[in-house]
Amino acid sequence: MLVVGEFNLNPWLSRGFRLNTKIGSLGLAIMLMPSLGFAAQWRLTPSIELVETYTDNVTLSSDANSESDLISQINPALSLTGKGRELELAFDYRMQNLFYLGDSDRNNTNHQLNAGLKATLAPDWLFLDASSTLSQQVLSPDDNVSLGNIGVVSGREDVLTTRVSPYIQTRVTQWTVADLRYSQDSVSYSGEMAEDSTSEQVSASLQSAKSFGSWTWGVRYTEQTIDYSELSVTQNREDVKRRDTVLDLGYQLSPRIRLTGQTGYEDNEYQLSADAETPEGEYWSLGTVWTPSSQTSITASGGRRFFGRTWALDWSHQARRHGWQLAYNEDLSSRRELQLEQFTFIRVNPDGTIYTDPITLSPVISQRDILVATDEVFIERRASFHWTMRHRKSTSTFQVNRSRREFQETSVTEITSGVDLGWNLQISRSEEFSANLGRQNTEREIGDDRYTIAGVSYEKQLGKSVNSTFEMRNVRRNGSGAGNDYVENQLSAGITMHW
């Protein structure tokens, strides 16, 4: 048995993980080799986190079967960043070690990774993008879902994603820029409740380097193949193929108004029900980009694809003390696509700047469970609204979202909606208090599923290299179908040191 810490590698190897390891190793080797000649500023920050957590329901059971426990964590971490003219690297690794006072058989080690690379391999024409994530997630919405990894649940698996994309981008003529890109990515699971998959994608595009008067143009072709491992015990997926040819046009009507148009042909091959629309055909859209001021931007479009009328909106406004964004989009997606997008969920401050960890000074990336029961393709229609109000020492936030997913094989429709209220108070230069209240509801044919989360936290910087945190949290799950109702209260205290 091959074990690293308490991380058993045999399930990965037995499920064809060797290929994915090669892909991940290639990307990570490139990330970790400054000897390639990149002139960059490097920063290496080791740290360790010590946390004590009390929970009154460690197994997330009903009230009659709830069980309390005290959990200790010793979590060493390492952050490596590099930034230069030809290189941008962020590599964050954390080893989470959990020790349960009530039952030592539950002790566990989780390995967590977020890594990304943007590099120039040859000036002005050859570039490389790469990324990798490793996290723990509950995959099925029918299982008990906990915040973080403290809850002892059966449906949690390690999820590894990798992506490597070399590409050529160069000016062909004074008026034309060419882009030729190859991408390979993979999504792998440590268990057998979901299928591993590998994707290869080739895309080529030509676009105007300068506008012809008020006009701009671009033409692009993309072809992608997704291969599934067929090793899941619950489902057997056929391979997916996608081809897309599109022409983009733009016209600058005025200094603040730009008109856009798009027409193309898509050909998608994936498993679908007998009454589903054939996923191919011509499509088009017309839109506008309006910037009435430096603080406000509106992008809106409407068109048609094989599944009907489509709409898109991105309306944002940023002022000195407040800001908001309203967005709507419709597109094809799947569980593997959501997993690969994890890396892009970088937390952003209310003023639009990227939120950095005060310990490692690296961008903080939000990990979340992708609660999608199958790997089938679905049409997602998603709307969201985010509002922020800033005062001298406090920040208030309000978020609401709604997503409708129409699964193309089972014809199941799932609607998720959520609302979140947050308040942050900067007590002093070294003290910060936060409060949060959120609710998420999922409507499915087998019944509704509702989560309510309330929490407060207090953070104090004890020194230049030491932070302390205290948190209280209440989580409630109520549903009419899954039968996994529970209430959990948590109390945590932690200290983080870095060098």
Side-chain angles (χ1 to χ4, degrees):
M1 178 178 291
L2 181 58
V3 177
V4 178
E6 294 186 21
F7 183 58
N8 187 356
L9 297 182
N10 288 288
W12 297 89
L13 297 176
S14 64
R15 304 189 69 224
F17 185 62
R18 292 184 179 87
L19 175 60
N20 295 327
T21 302
K22 291 178 181 178
I23 298 172
S25 298
L26 173 62
L28 295 180
I30 295 172
M31 295 177 195
L32 296 175
M33 291 180 63
S35 59
L36 289 175
F38 297 116
Q41 293 181 340
W42 295 92
R43 182 184 180 92
L44 178 64
T45 307
S47 63
I48 189 168
E49 180 186 37
L50 309 174
V51 185
E52 291 291 330
T53 302
Y54 169 81
T55 173
D56 63 357
N57 191 358
V58 69
T59 57
L60 308 184
S61 303
S62 61
D63 292 341
N65 300 315
S66 61
E67 177 184 346
S68 62
D69 206 344
L70 182 66
I71 303 99
S72 301
Q73 295 186 59
I74 304 176
N75 307 326
L78 182 69
S79 173
L80 175 64
T81 60
K83 192 168 185 179
R85 189 179 64 176
E86 297 180 340
L87 172 70
E88 186 174 339
L89 166 72
F91 179 92
D92 295 291
Y93 168 77
R94 179 174 181 255
M95 177 190 287
Q96 182 186 41
N97 299 285
L98 299 168
F99 304 94
Y100 293 80
L101 181 63
D103 187 350
S104 60
D105 290 339
R106 295 170 175 169
N107 295 353
N108 191 26
T109 296
N110 297 308
H111 298 263
Q112 298 159 351
L113 173 70
N114 275 297
L117 171 74
K118 293 181 179 295
T120 300
L121 302 182
D124 300 325
W125 73 282
L126 183 59
F127 307 89
L128 175 70
D129 291 345
S131 64
S132 184
T133 67
L134 176 61
S135 62
Q136 293 72 47
Q137 298 179 32
V138 176
L139 302 180
S140 173
D142 296 327
D143 292 327
N144 278 337
V145 181
S146 64
L147 294 179
N149 295 326
I150 289 179
V152 180
V153 297
S154 60
R156 187 183 292 122
E157 294 188 13
D158 292 292
V159 183
L160 173 68
T161 71
T162 61
R163 173 180 284 158
V164 178
S165 178
Y167 63 99
I168 295 173
Q169 190 175 76
T170 186
R171 186 184 296 268
V172 179
T173 68
Q174 180 182 0
W175 306 99
T176 308
V177 173
D179 188 301
L180 178 61
R181 184 182 299 259
Y182 170 79
S183 300
Q184 185 173 35
D185 58 58
S186 66
V187 179
S188 303
Y189 304 91
S190 61
E192 298 182 345
M193 298 306 295
E195 288 195 65
D196 298 348
S197 59
T198 302
S199 166
E200 289 187 288
Q201 179 174 297
V202 176
S203 65
S205 69
L206 289 174
Q207 64 184 40
S208 55
K210 295 182 179 180
S211 60
F212 294 87
S214 299
W215 290 91
T216 58
W217 62 270
V219 60
R220 181 179 70 256
Y221 174 77
T222 303
E223 183 169 332
Q224 181 186 28
T225 301
I226 303 173
D227 297 320
Y228 284 93
S229 65
E230 301 182 359
L231 293 176
S232 170
V233 298
T234 60
Q235 52 187 305
N236 187 0
R237 311 300 309 169
E238 295 179 0
D239 296 343
V240 173
K241 294 183 179 181
R242 296 177 180 174
R243 288 172 289 273
D244 184 28
T245 305
V246 60
L247 170 66
D248 289 305
L249 294 174
Y251 180 75
Q252 196 70 38
L253 186 63
S254 72
R256 297 188 180 276
I257 301 177
R258 177 178 176 78
L259 303 180
T260 62
Q262 185 181 79
T263 182
Y265 188 89
E266 61 181 320
D267 182 7
N268 305 294
E269 299 178 22
Y270 52 77
Q271 290 174 251
L272 48 90
S273 64
D275 58 348
E277 295 288 341
T278 302
E280 63 176 287
E282 298 177 354
Y283 65 89
W284 60 268
S285 71
L286 296 174
T288 182
V289 180
W290 180 34
T291 54
S293 70
S294 60
Q295 299 175 324
T296 306
S297 174
I298 304 172
T299 301
S301 65
R304 176 176 289 276
R305 292 180 64 178
F306 69 87
F307 53 83
R309 289 284 185 182
T310 60
W311 307 96
L313 174 68
D314 190 338
W315 185 358
S316 63
H317 175 76
Q318 291 291 335
R320 187 170 66 91
R321 291 192 176 274
H322 73 276
W324 52 267
Q325 181 181 35
L326 176 64
Y328 178 80
N329 190 49
E330 302 176 352
D331 205 353
L332 294 176
S333 189
S334 64
R335 177 163 60 185
R336 83 176 306 273
E337 295 297 326
L338 296 177
Q339 295 286 3
L340 289 166
E341 290 172 6
Q342 283 267 68
F343 187 82
T344 64
F345 294 140
I346 298 178
R347 288 175 54 186
V348 179
N349 288 314
D351 60 0
T353 60
I354 295 177
Y355 178 83
T356 57
D357 190 306
I359 304 299
T360 65
L361 301 181
S362 299
V364 174
I365 301 170
S366 299
Q367 292 286 356
R368 65 175 187 177
D369 290 322
I370 304 298
L371 297 175
V372 181
T374 73
D375 286 305
E376 63 182 287
V377 174
F378 54 82
I379 298 171
E380 183 171 41
R381 309 174 197 270
R382 178 176 175 80
S384 63
F385 175 77
H386 177 236
W387 173 84
T388 302
M389 175 62 74
R390 296 175 293 275
H391 300 283
R392 189 169 64 90
K393 288 190 174 183
S394 66
T395 302
S396 302
T397 59
F398 171 73
Q399 300 181 67
V400 61
N401 62 79
R402 188 177 191 273
S403 178
R404 178 186 176 92
R405 294 170 178 168
E406 301 168 5
F407 290 86
Q408 296 298 282
E409 182 182 359
T410 58
S411 299
V412 170
T413 298
E414 176 182 281
I415 299 175
T416 62
S417 57
V419 61
D420 185 88
L421 293 169
W423 184 64
N424 176 274
L425 174 64
Q426 193 72 42
I427 302 173
S428 67
R429 294 182 62 181
S430 61
E431 296 176 281
E432 185 175 314
F433 174 83
S434 298
N436 179 268
L437 176 63
R439 182 180 178 90
Q440 179 172 311
N441 182 57
T442 302
E443 302 175 31
R444 295 183 293 161
E445 294 180 359
I446 62 174
D448 295 351
D449 196 6
R450 296 179 296 276
Y451 284 91
T452 304
I453 304 168
V456 295
S457 67
Y458 170 77
E459 182 176 338
K460 182 176 178 61
Q461 189 168 350
L462 303 179
K464 184 178 179 180
S465 303
V466 183
N467 274 29
S468 63
T469 305
F470 303 89
E471 295 185 3
M472 296 174 56
R473 181 181 294 161
N474 173 271
V475 181
R476 296 174 179 269
R477 180 179 184 178
N478 303 100
S480 57
N484 293 330
D485 296 357
Y486 71 86
V487 178
E488 183 198 16
N489 296 289
Q490 278 189 20
L491 178 63
S492 297
I495 187 170
T496 303
M497 297 171 284
H498 72 280
W499 297 270

Coordinates of all heavy atoms in Angstrom, one line a residue, residues 125-173:
W125 N 5.6 35.6 -28.7 CA 4.8 34.6 -29.5 C 4.5 33.3 -28.8 O 3.4 32.7 -29.1 CB 5.5 34.3 -30.9 CG 6.7 33.4 -30.7 CD1 8.0 33.8 -30.3 CD2 6.8 32.0 -31.0 NE1 8.8 32.7 -30.3 CE2 8.2 31.6 -30.7 CE3 5.9 31.0 -31.5 CZ2 8.6 30.3 -30.9 CZ3 6.4 29.7 -31.6 CH2 7.7 29.4 -31.3
L126 N 5.3 32.8 -27.9 CA 5.0 31.5 -27.3 C 4.8 31.7 -25.8 O 5.6 32.2 -25.1 CB 6.1 30.5 -27.5 CG 6.0 29.1 -27.0 CD1 4.7 28.4 -27.6 CD2 7.2 28.2 -27.3
F127 N 3.6 31.1 -25.3 CA 3.2 31.4 -23.9 C 2.7 30.0 -23.3 O 2.4 29.1 -24.0 CB 2.2 32.4 -23.8 CG 2.5 33.7 -24.5 CD1 2.2 33.9 -25.8 CD2 3.2 34.7 -23.8 CE1 2.6 35.1 -26.4 CE2 3.5 35.9 -24.4 CZ 3.2 36.1 -25.7
L128 N 2.6 30.0 -22.0 CA 2.1 28.8 -21.3 C 1.2 29.3 -20.1 O 1.6 30.1 -19.3 CB 3.3 28.0 -20.8 CG 2.9 26.8 -19.9 CD1 2.2 25.7 -20.8 CD2 4.1 26.2 -19.2
D129 N 0.0 28.6 -20.0 CA -0.8 28.7 -18.8 C -0.9 27.3 -18.2 O -1.1 26.3 -18.9 CB -2.2 29.2 -19.2 CG -2.2 30.7 -19.6 OD1 -1.2 31.4 -19.4 OD2 -3.2 31.1 -20.2
A130 N -0.9 27.3 -16.9 CA -1.0 26.0 -16.2 C -1.7 26.2 -14.8 O -1.5 27.3 -14.2 CB 0.3 25.2 -16.0
S131 N -2.4 25.2 -14.3 CA -3.0 25.4 -13.0 C -3.3 24.0 -12.5 O -3.5 23.0 -13.2 CB -4.3 26.2 -13.1 OG -5.3 25.6 -13.8
S132 N -3.4 23.9 -11.2 CA -3.8 22.6 -10.5 C -4.4 22.9 -9.2 O -4.0 23.8 -8.5 CB -2.5 21.8 -10.3 OG -2.9 20.5 -9.8
T133 N -5.4 22.1 -8.8 CA -6.1 22.2 -7.5 C -6.3 20.9 -6.9 O -6.5 19.9 -7.7 CB -7.5 22.9 -7.6 OG1 -8.4 22.1 -8.3 CG2 -7.4 24.3 -8.3
L134 N -6.2 20.8 -5.6 CA -6.5 19.5 -4.9 C -7.3 19.9 -3.7 O -6.9 20.8 -2.9 CB -5.2 18.8 -4.5 CG -5.4 17.6 -3.6 CD1 -6.2 16.5 -4.3 CD2 -4.1 17.0 -3.2
S135 N -8.5 19.4 -3.5 CA -9.4 19.7 -2.5 C -10.2 18.5 -2.1 O -10.2 17.5 -2.7 CB -10.3 20.9 -2.9 OG -11.1 20.6 -4.0
Q136 N -11.0 18.7 -1.0 CA -11.9 17.6 -0.5 C -13.4 18.2 -0.7 O -13.7 19.3 -0.3 CB -11.7 17.2 0.9 CG -10.3 16.6 1.1 CD -9.1 17.5 1.0 OE1 -9.2 18.6 1.6 NE2 -8.1 17.1 0.3
Q137 N -14.2 17.3 -1.3 CA -15.6 17.8 -1.6 C -16.6 16.7 -1.4 O -16.2 15.5 -1.6 CB -15.7 18.3 -3.0 CG -14.8 19.5 -3.3 CD -15.0 19.9 -4.8 OE1 -16.1 19.8 -5.4 NE2 -13.9 20.5 -5.3
V138 N -17.8 17.0 -1.0 CA -18.9 16.1 -1.0 C -19.5 16.3 -2.4 O -19.9 17.4 -2.8 CB -19.9 16.4 0.1 CG1 -21.1 15.5 0.0 CG2 -19.2 16.2 1.5
L139 N -19.7 15.2 -3.1 CA -20.1 15.3 -4.5 C -21.6 15.2 -4.7 O -22.1 15.8 -5.7 CB -19.4 14.1 -5.3 CG -17.9 14.1 -5.3 CD1 -17.4 12.9 -6.1 CD2 -17.3 15.4 -5.8
S140 N -22.3 14.5 -3.9 CA -23.7 14.4 -4.1 C -24.5 15.2 -3.1 O -24.3 15.3 -1.9 CB -24.1 12.9 -3.9 OG -25.5 12.8 -3.9
P141 N -25.5 16.0 -3.6 CA -26.4 16.7 -2.7 C -27.2 15.9 -1.8 O -27.8 16.4 -0.9 CB -27.2 17.6 -3.7 CG -27.2 16.7 -5.0 CD -25.9 16.1 -5.0
D142 N -27.3 14.6 -2.1 CA -28.1 13.7 -1.2 C -27.3 13.3 0.0 O -27.9 12.7 1.0 CB -28.6 12.5 -2.0 CG -29.5 12.8 -3.1 OD1 -30.3 13.8 -2.9 OD2 -29.5 12.1 -4.1
D143 N -26.0 13.5 0.1 CA -25.2 13.2 1.2 C -25.2 14.3 2.2 O -25.6 15.5 1.9 CB -23.8 12.9 0.8 CG -23.7 11.6 0.0 OD1 -24.5 10.6 0.3 OD2 -22.8 11.5 -0.9
N144 N -24.7 14.1 3.4 CA -24.5 15.1 4.4 C -23.4 16.0 3.9 O -22.3 15.5 3.6 CB -24.2 14.6 5.8 CG -25.5 14.2 6.5 OD1 -26.6 14.7 6.2 ND2 -25.4 13.3 7.5
V145 N -23.6 17.3 3.9 CA -22.6 18.3 3.5 C -22.2 19.1 4.6 O -23.1 19.8 5.3 CB -23.2 19.1 2.3 CG1 -22.1 20.1 1.8 CG2 -23.7 18.3 1.2
S146 N -20.9 19.2 4.9 CA -20.4 20.0 6.0 C -19.6 21.2 5.5 O -19.2 21.1 4.3 CB -19.6 19.2 7.0 OG -18.4 18.7 6.3
L147 N -19.5 22.2 6.3 CA -18.6 23.3 5.9 C -17.2 22.9 6.4 O -16.9 22.7 7.5 CB -19.0 24.6 6.7 CG -20.3 25.2 6.2 CD1 -20.6 26.4 7.0 CD2 -20.4 25.5 4.8
G148 N -16.3 22.8 5.4 CA -14.9 22.3 5.7 C -14.9 20.8 5.8 O -15.9 20.1 5.5
N149 N -13.8 20.3 6.4 CA -13.6 18.9 6.5 C -13.7 18.3 7.9 O -13.4 17.1 8.1 CB -12.2 18.5 6.0 CG -12.0 18.8 4.5 OD1 -13.0 18.7 3.7 ND2 -10.9 19.3 4.1
I150 N -14.2 19.1 8.9 CA -14.3 18.6 10.2 C -15.4 17.5 10.4 O -15.2 16.5 11.1 CB -14.5 19.7 11.2 CG1 -13.2 20.6 11.3 CG2 -14.9 19.3 12.6 CD1 -13.3 21.8 12.2
G151 N -16.6 17.7 9.8 CA -17.7 16.8 9.9 C -17.3 15.4 9.4 O -16.7 15.3 8.3
V152 N -17.7 14.4 10.1 CA -17.4 13.0 9.7 C -18.5 12.5 8.8 O -19.6 12.1 9.3 CB -17.2 12.1 10.9 CG1 -16.9 10.6 10.4 CG2 -16.1 12.6 11.8
V153 N -18.3 12.6 7.5 CA -19.4 12.2 6.5 C -18.8 11.2 5.5 O -17.6 11.1 5.3 CB -19.9 13.4 5.8 CG1 -20.6 14.4 6.7 CG2 -18.8 14.1 5.0
S154 N -19.7 10.4 4.9 CA -19.2 9.3 4.0 C -19.0 9.7 2.6 O -18.3 9.0 1.9 CB -20.2 8.2 4.1 OG -21.5 8.6 3.6
G155 N -19.5 10.8 2.1 CA -19.5 11.1 0.7 C -18.4 12.0 0.3 O -18.3 12.4 -0.9
R156 N -17.4 12.3 1.2 CA -16.3 13.2 0.8 C -15.2 12.5 0.1 O -14.8 11.4 0.4 CB -15.8 13.9 2.1 CG -14.8 15.0 1.8 CD -14.2 15.6 3.1 NE -15.2 16.3 3.8 CZ -15.6 16.0 5.1 NH1 -15.0 15.0 5.7 NH2 -16.5 16.8 5.7
E157 N -14.7 13.2 -1.0 CA -13.6 12.6 -1.8 C -12.6 13.7 -2.1 O -12.9 14.9 -2.1 CB -14.2 12.0 -3.1 CG -15.1 10.8 -3.0 CD -15.4 10.2 -4.4 OE1 -14.7 10.6 -5.4 OE2 -16.3 9.4 -4.4
D158 N -11.4 13.2 -2.4 CA -10.3 14.1 -2.9 C -10.6 14.4 -4.4 O -10.9 13.5 -5.1 CB -8.9 13.5 -2.7 CG -8.5 13.4 -1.3 OD1 -8.3 14.4 -0.6 OD2 -8.4 12.3 -0.8
V159 N -10.5 15.7 -4.8 CA -10.7 16.0 -6.1 C -9.5 16.8 -6.6 O -9.1 17.8 -6.1 CB -12.0 16.9 -6.3 CG1 -12.2 17.3 -7.8 CG2 -13.2 16.3 -5.7
L160 N -8.9 16.2 -7.7 CA -7.7 16.8 -8.3 C -8.0 17.3 -9.7 O -8.6 16.6 -10.5 CB -6.5 15.8 -8.4 CG -5.3 16.2 -9.1 CD1 -4.6 17.3 -8.3 CD2 -4.4 15.1 -9.4
T161 N -7.7 18.6 -10.0 CA -7.8 19.1 -11.3 C -6.5 19.6 -11.8 O -5.7 20.1 -11.0 CB -8.8 20.3 -11.4 OG1 -8.3 21.5 -10.7 CG2 -10.1 19.9 -10.7
T162 N -6.2 19.4 -13.1 CA -5.0 19.9 -13.7 C -5.3 20.5 -15.0 O -6.2 20.1 -15.7 CB -3.9 18.8 -13.9 OG1 -4.4 17.8 -14.7 CG2 -3.5 18.2 -12.5
R163 N -4.5 21.5 -15.4 CA -4.7 22.2 -16.7 C -3.4 22.7 -17.2 O -2.7 23.4 -16.5 CB -5.7 23.3 -16.7 CG -5.9 24.1 -18.0 CD -6.9 25.2 -17.9 NE -8.2 24.7 -18.0 CZ -9.3 25.3 -17.5 NH1 -9.2 26.5 -16.8 NH2 -10.5 24.8 -17.6
V164 N -3.0 22.3 -18.5 CA -1.8 22.8 -19.1 C -2.2 23.3 -20.5 O -2.8 22.6 -21.3 CB -0.7 21.7 -19.2 CG1 0.5 22.2 -19.9 CG2 -0.4 21.2 -17.8
S165 N -1.8 24.5 -20.8 CA -2.2 25.1 -22.1 C -1.1 25.9 -22.7 O -0.9 27.1 -22.4 CB -3.4 26.0 -21.9 OG -3.8 26.6 -23.1
P166 N -0.2 25.4 -23.6 CA 0.7 26.2 -24.3 C 0.0 26.8 -25.5 O -0.9 26.2 -26.1 CB 1.7 25.2 -24.8 CG 1.0 23.9 -24.9 CD -0.1 23.9 -23.8
Y167 N 0.4 28.0 -25.9 CA -0.3 28.7 -27.0 C 0.7 29.7 -27.7 O 1.6 30.2 -27.1 CB -1.6 29.4 -26.6 CG -1.4 30.5 -25.6 CD1 -1.4 31.8 -26.0 CD2 -1.3 30.2 -24.2 CE1 -1.3 32.9 -25.1 CE2 -1.2 31.3 -23.3 CZ -1.2 32.6 -23.7 OH -1.0 33.6 -22.8
I168 N 0.4 29.9 -28.9 CA 1.1 30.9 -29.8 C 0.2 32.1 -30.0 O -1.0 31.9 -30.4 CB 1.5 30.3 -31.1 CG1 2.5 29.1 -30.9 CG2 2.1 31.3 -32.0 CD1 2.9 28.4 -32.1
Q169 N 0.7 33.2 -29.7 CA 0.0 34.5 -30.0 C 0.9 35.5 -30.6 O 1.9 35.9 -30.0 CB -0.6 35.0 -28.7 CG -1.6 36.2 -28.9 CD -2.2 36.6 -27.5 OE1 -1.6 37.3 -26.7 NE2 -3.5 36.2 -27.3
T170 N 0.7 35.8 -31.8 CA 1.6 36.7 -32.5 C 0.9 37.5 -33.6 O -0.2 37.2 -34.0 CB 2.7 35.8 -33.3 OG1 3.7 36.6 -33.8 CG2 2.0 35.0 -34.3
R171 N 1.5 38.6 -33.9 CA 1.0 39.5 -35.0 C 1.3 39.0 -36.3 O 2.5 38.8 -36.6 CB 1.5 40.9 -34.8 CG 0.9 42.0 -35.7 CD 1.5 43.3 -35.5 NE 1.3 43.8 -34.1 CZ 0.3 44.6 -33.8 NH1 -0.6 45.0 -34.7 NH2 0.1 45.0 -32.5
V172 N 0.3 38.7 -37.2 CA 0.6 38.2 -38.5 C 0.9 39.3 -39.5 O 1.8 39.2 -40.3 CB -0.6 37.3 -39.0 CG1 -0.4 36.8 -40.4 CG2 -0.9 36.2 -38.0
T173 N 0.1 40.3 -39.4 CA 0.3 41.5 -40.2 C 0.1 42.7 -39.3 O -0.2 42.6 -38.1 CB -0.7 41.6 -41.4 OG1 -2.0 41.8 -40.9 CG2 -0.7 40.3 -42.2

